[in-house]
Amino acid sequence: MILAPDVRMPMTADVQSRAVAASERLRAQGEHLKQRWLDAPMWDRLYSQFNLRKPPSYLPCSPKYMRRYLSKAEVAVSQCLEFTGFRTLKAYGETNPNVPLWAFLGTILEAKASGVFTSNPAP
């Protein structure tokens, strides 16, 4: 639901300072993540091709978000694990601590585009 400008609560200095602090915390959380990837332009095209929003750059590869975005990409976790060679999503994240979620999902979309995954994934 979108509120008209006259119905919205005005942003007080307190609310604004908390929003800025939260934004800075999130940015700091992802500072250790690698952001420059040679395949990034291709992944951006794949995000568009599959009608997916690119995850925020500060999100690491945590099982919670990996499951969420794999579901949006219509790729089963079991297919992803078989493709990556890991037994669990947690193991992937622990082994690749500097890989952001958007880069992980880019590789998954690349594999999906090349036909690695079946069209109807089993959960």
Side-chain angles (χ1 to χ4, degrees):
M1 175 162 108
I2 299 175
L3 298 176
D6 58 333
V7 179
R8 296 181 193 149
M9 290 182 57
M11 183 169 289
T12 62
D14 179 50
V15 172
Q16 186 175 5
S17 65
R18 284 187 287 156
V20 168
S23 175
E24 289 172 356
R25 263 195 319 276
L26 290 173
R27 249 183 270 137
Q29 168 183 317
E31 282 182 352
H32 71 283
L33 299 173
K34 180 180 175 184
Q35 297 298 328
R36 291 184 171 195
W37 299 83
L38 292 176
D39 289 341
M42 181 182 58
W43 294 338
D44 289 338
R45 286 191 299 276
L46 289 171
Y47 278 109
S48 179
Q49 177 183 333
F50 288 108
N51 295 319
L52 291 173
R53 182 176 290 178
K54 187 176 173 180
S57 62
Y58 56 79
L59 284 181
C61 285
S62 69
K64 173 184 173 180
Y65 293 114
M66 292 168 83
R67 274 192 200 87
R68 182 177 296 168
Y69 279 91
L70 285 171
S71 173
K72 290 178 182 186
E74 298 178 350
V75 174
V77 172
S78 59
Q79 290 177 320
C80 172
L81 293 175
E82 183 179 336
F83 172 70
T84 60
F86 286 90
R87 295 186 66 205
T88 64
L89 294 176
K90 183 178 180 181
Y92 181 90
E94 289 173 350
T95 306
N96 300 289
N98 297 328
V99 175
L101 182 64
W102 69 268
F104 161 77
L105 192 59
T107 60
I108 296 299
L109 294 178
E110 189 176 343
K112 183 176 179 177
S114 64
V116 171
F117 303 119
T118 60
S119 59
N120 291 329

